[in-house]
Amino acid sequence: MGFISTVLAACGRGGLDADRLNEVVRAVDGVEGSNLTIEKPGGGSRSLRGGVQLPDDEAAAKQVFDAALRALSDEIGGDADVNLMIYVHGEYAGGQLSTADVGAPLNPSAYGLWQHYNG
């Protein structure tokens, strides 16, 4: 990896990797699995999509999903130049949770999610 690639990866630019983001989410206590992908539909925008498998109990699922979103936010960082939209949902026995179900913005940008947890 060249110097520029190393710097950009360290800054969260160009270094986003779905495998790494899945690894981060799966490390959260209570997460039972995840299937996150990064899609690049064109125009320079990207989106993180997929689900996070959570405990069956709704209250526990919300708590774990919130922790998983925080972990994603910490990993991606707060660089406003990261052009990534977050379309991630939580899956539990009672259905699905959106980011808004745990108090975060609905389908935020990576920067918006970081601001929610750190701003």
Side-chain angles (χ1 to χ4, degrees):
M1 182 182 289
F3 176 74
I4 298 295
S5 298
T6 302
V7 170
L8 292 176
C11 292
R13 293 187 201 156
L16 292 176
D17 174 85
D19 290 337
R20 173 67 186 143
L21 296 177
N22 276 297
E23 187 178 294
V24 166
V25 167
R26 291 174 186 155
V28 173
D29 190 33
V31 168
E32 298 174 1
S34 65
N35 59 341
L36 305 178
T37 60
I38 295 176
E39 297 179 5
K40 301 173 188 174
S45 65
R46 297 175 292 177
S47 59
L48 179 64
R49 296 181 179 273
V52 177
Q53 291 75 47
L54 304 166
D56 290 342
D57 176 72
E58 183 177 8
K62 284 183 176 181
Q63 185 176 22
V64 171
F65 189 46
D66 186 56
L69 291 172
R70 180 181 295 276
L72 278 174
S73 173
D74 290 346
E75 180 67 20
I76 295 168
D79 189 343
D81 292 338
V82 175
N83 189 10
L84 180 72
M85 295 302 296
I86 310 293
Y87 301 106
V88 175
H89 61 274
E91 302 169 354
Y92 74 108
Q96 290 188 348
L97 297 172
S98 72
T99 53
D101 290 325
V102 295
L106 181 62
N107 301 329
S109 66
Y111 181 69
L113 188 65
W114 184 86
Q115 278 189 314
H116 171 72
Y117 287 110
N118 299 283

